Amino acid sequence: MYINSFDERLERIDWQPSAVPTRQMIDSVLAGRLPLQPRSAVLSLAGAVTGILIGVGLKGMGVAGSPWGPETGLAGLVGGGLAQAGLAASVAAALLAAAKGSRAPRLMQFASINLLMIAVLLLS
């Protein structure tokens, strides 16, 4: 059956101008949306603290007189290795967060603050 006018279509679906949506219709629309992951200050703080620790470790590798600096033997090897491993993990986390995009906003929040703090400490 071919319906010509807009009014005929409305009559066919029994639409009424004053009708309100049912609770089932509202629930089905809301269920179709992805739940938002709220941002957390804890993730920003954890990223900042981790970035500061890694940045201080990396900065101390080049400063003579630091406990893990040049010519400190095993302590320098362990401290420098931990700092470099932290940098590698931070870059890997940032790349993973960039690849996942909007599917991992919490990882992006942590990784971006983490790399920012490392860069600030290395440039200071």
Side-chain angles (χ1 to χ4, degrees), residues 51-64 66 68-70 83 118-124:
I52 289 170
L53 291 174
I54 294 169
V56 167
L58 291 170
K59 189 83 167 182
M61 285 175 53
V63 176
S66 72
W68 58 92
I118 292 171
V120 165
L121 282 170
L122 290 179
L123 293 174
S124 66

Side-chain angles (χ1 to χ4, degrees), residues 6 20 31 83 90 93 97-98 112 116 119 121:
F6 181 72
V20 295
S90 296
S112 62
L116 176 68
L121 282 170

